[in-house]
């Protein structure tokens, strides 16, 4: 997701942003109540669990681009750059949260419910991303010198694993349920789930030529195997988290080692991709999705709530088979993506380019 400008584009970054935004739209693309397909819900969630790579990749790409821009800054003050980024993200957050708040208010939500959803980053699906970025940018700025060392990524991976391990202990221990309740109330905007992606993004930027060379040396069948293995690990983690959380994964659904591995795997598989590997139309579509990924991210979350509200009223008594609910998801996925992209382009042409690009 592009929340600040970068001078020269890398197609592999555009590609990762494009596939990630397509994946994230998928998670919001069922507009009928859970009761209409409850017997198929676990299978459906497990089937699409591998697409959870999208949020880890977004965070990694964000700090890849930030590390790149800090290097391009030269002798200019880094504090000014940080302030510009924070100002931009803060305005973005106010803009999209305000629109989501209006929808919540008109749909009957109370002021307390709206304030709680803003605080928890659930005012629209995945809105916590903006809140986390607002916290991670200052951390990145403070640690920027230390993050230039190659061992920093190993230290933060170990630290992140220890944090996750502590969460797992809290989830499985009866004496630590108070900690679990605190984490649930704070929800996912708490930065302890995402610290590793600062170091990972900057490390990948600094070692990008090496990673690109490694990616070029990996044969296509090996890449396919790596992506399949990543998908299997995601599914295993999902089932395990369902078990230890008694079916209520949030806000722990991204507190897994598989999320970290997925970001690494995606860069290893796609760092070497070039425009020439796709058709002209494929290249155009990738760049278009990448350019408007921020707008699609926010608009699809808000639109999905509108459609879900309508779908709940229309289909609350329905019962869908597995084939039917799969068809509903796939069609809704395509429609939501096209609408979100179209509205992003429209807003950009109306003078709101910085809200969607």
């Amino acid at each position: 997701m592009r929340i600040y400008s970068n001078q020269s584009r890398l197609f592999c970054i555009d590609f990762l942003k494009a596939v990630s935004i397509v994946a994230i739209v998928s998670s919001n693309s069922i507009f009928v109540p859970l009761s209409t397909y409850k017997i198929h819900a676990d299978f459906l969630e497990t089937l699409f669990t591998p697409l959870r790579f999208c949020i880890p990749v977004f965070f990694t790409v964000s700090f890849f681009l930030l590390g790149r821009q800090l290097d391009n800054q030269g002798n200019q003050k880094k504090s000014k750059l940080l302030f510009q980024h924070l100002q931009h993200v803060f305005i973005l957050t106010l803009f999209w949260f305000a629109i989501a708040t209006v929808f919540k208010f008109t749909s009957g939500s109370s002021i307390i419910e709206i304030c709680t959803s803003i605080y928890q980053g659930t005012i629209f699906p995945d809105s916590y991303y903006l809140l986390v970025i607002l916290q991670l940018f200052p951390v990145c700025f403070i640690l920027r010198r230390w993050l230039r060392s190659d061992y920093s990524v190993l230290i933060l991976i170990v630290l992140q694993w220890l944090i996750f391990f502590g969460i797992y202990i809290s989830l499985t221990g009866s004496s630590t349920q108070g900690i679990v309740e605190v984490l649930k109330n704070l929800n996912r905007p708490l930065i302890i789930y995402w610290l590793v992606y600062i170091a990972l993004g900057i490390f990948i930027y600094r070692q990008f030529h090496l990673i690109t060379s490694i990616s070029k040396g990996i044969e296509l069948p090996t890449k396919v195997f790596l992506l399949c293995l990543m998908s299997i690990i995601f599914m295993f983690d999902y089932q395990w988290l369902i078990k230890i959380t008694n079916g209520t994964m949030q806000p722990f659904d991204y507190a897994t080692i598989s999320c970290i591995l997925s970001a690494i795997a995606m860069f290893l598989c796609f760092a070497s991709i070039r425009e020439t590997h796709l058709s002209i139309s494929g290249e155009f579509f990738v760049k278009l999705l990448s350019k408007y990924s921020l707008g699609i991210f926010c608009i699809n979350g808000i639109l999905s709530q509108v459609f879900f509200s309508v779908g709940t009223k229309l289909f609350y008594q329905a019962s869908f088979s597995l084939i039917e609910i799969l068809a509903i998801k796939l069609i809704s996925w395509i429609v939501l993506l096209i609408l979100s992209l179209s509205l992003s382009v429209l807003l950009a042409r109306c003078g709101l380019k910085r809200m969607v690009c």
Side-chain angles (χ1 to χ4, degrees):
M1 186 180 306
R2 181 170 172 253
I3 51 179
Y4 40 79
S5 62
N6 53 306
Q7 287 76 13
S8 57
R9 305 181 72 91
L10 293 170
F11 184 73
C12 66
I13 297 297
D14 282 337
F15 183 85
L16 287 171
K17 288 165 62 181
V19 296
S20 295
I21 198 60
V22 170
I24 213 164
V25 171
S26 164
S27 64
N28 304 322
S29 60
I30 294 184
F31 308 139
V32 295
L34 178 63
S35 58
T36 62
Y37 64 96
K38 193 170 184 178
I39 59 174
H40 308 298
D42 286 343
F43 174 79
L44 203 65
E45 188 66 29
T46 303
L47 182 64
F48 287 92
T49 292
L51 297 183
R52 288 181 182 275
F53 71 83
C54 53
I55 295 295
V57 168
F58 269 147
F59 276 114
T60 306
V61 166
S62 292
F63 289 101
F64 177 101
L65 294 175
L66 180 60
R68 189 180 184 211
Q69 197 167 21
L70 284 170
D71 267 9
N72 292 336
Q73 191 75 358
N75 295 324
Q76 298 181 40
K77 289 186 176 181
K78 304 285 193 298
S79 57
K80 183 179 179 181
L81 179 65
L82 171 67
F83 178 77
Q84 290 172 345
H85 289 341
L86 287 175
Q87 184 183 47
H88 185 200
V89 179
F90 184 69
I91 293 171
L92 284 172
T93 304
L94 285 180
F95 179 82
W96 290 111
F97 276 40
I99 292 175
T101 296
V102 170
F103 166 72
K104 288 279 189 180
F105 189 76
T106 55
S107 63
S109 297
S110 67
I111 297 297
I112 294 176
E113 289 173 334
I114 292 172
C115 289
T116 301
S117 62
I118 290 173
Y119 170 71
Q120 294 184 333
T122 56
I123 189 70
F124 59 85
D126 306 309
S127 58
Y128 60 86
Y129 174 86
L130 296 174
L131 298 179
V132 174
I133 283 291
L134 281 171
Q135 300 169 70
L136 289 181
F137 271 172
V139 174
C140 180
F141 180 77
I142 292 168
L143 299 178
R144 66 188 185 281
R145 295 185 187 279
W146 178 70
L147 289 168
R148 294 177 68 86
S149 62
D150 292 340
Y151 64 81
S152 62
V153 68
L154 296 176
I155 292 175
L156 274 182
I157 286 175
V158 172
L159 175 62
Q160 193 70 77
W161 185 86
L162 290 174
I163 291 171
F164 290 166
F165 185 72
I167 291 171
Y168 305 154
I169 294 297
S170 299
L171 287 169
T172 54
S174 57
S175 61
T176 53
Q177 287 304 304
I179 298 174
V180 172
E181 290 306 313
V182 170
L183 292 175
K184 285 183 177 180
N185 290 333
L186 290 172
N187 216 299
R188 283 173 294 197
L190 192 62
I191 63 172
I192 62 171
Y193 305 108
W194 316 102
L195 287 170
V196 69
Y197 300 106
I198 300 175
L200 198 58
I202 291 176
F203 174 80
I204 291 174
Y205 161 68
R206 291 181 57 79
Q207 302 295 334
F208 189 63
H209 291 299
L210 174 61
I211 291 170
T212 302
S213 297
I214 294 172
S215 180
K216 285 180 180 178
I218 301 175
E219 298 292 335
L220 180 60
T222 305
K223 290 182 178 180
V224 172
F225 172 77
L226 185 60
L227 293 174
C228 290
L229 180 61
M230 181 186 79
S231 299
I232 293 169
I233 294 173
F234 258 123
M235 291 179 180
F236 174 81
D237 266 357
Y238 171 75
Q239 292 298 329
W240 181 70
L241 273 176
I242 283 288
K243 182 178 179 180
I244 67 172
T245 59
N246 296 317
T248 55
M249 285 179 60
Q250 292 185 4
F252 311 113
D253 43 347
Y254 288 100
T256 63
I257 298 299
S258 60
C259 287
I260 302 172
L261 294 176
S262 70
I264 297 171
M266 291 296 286
F267 269 90
L268 284 175
C269 288
F270 298 111
S272 59
I273 193 168
R274 296 292 180 268
E275 292 92 333
T276 53
H277 295 151
L278 301 178
S279 63
I280 295 176
S281 58
E283 177 193 345
F284 172 78
F285 196 53
V286 163
K287 290 183 176 180
L288 191 66
L289 287 173
S290 174
K291 180 179 180 179
Y292 293 104
S293 58
L294 174 60
I296 296 169
F297 180 90
C298 298
I299 292 171
N300 101 89
I302 296 171
L303 278 183
S304 67
Q305 292 185 312
V306 176
F307 293 154
F308 181 77
S309 179
V310 174
T312 299
K313 293 176 181 177
L314 293 177
F315 301 106
Y316 70 96
Q317 290 184 327
S319 179
F320 298 108
S321 67
L322 178 59
I323 299 299
E324 288 171 337
I325 197 63
L326 277 172
I328 288 171
K329 182 175 179 68
L330 292 174
I331 293 170
S332 302
W333 187 356
I334 295 169
V335 170
L336 186 59
L337 181 63
I338 292 173
L339 282 176
S340 300
L341 175 58
S342 301
L343 286 173
S344 296
V345 174
L346 179 62
L347 287 174
R349 291 180 178 178
C350 290
L352 294 172
K353 186 175 180 179
R354 285 180 62 81
M355 298 298 107
V356 295
C357 293

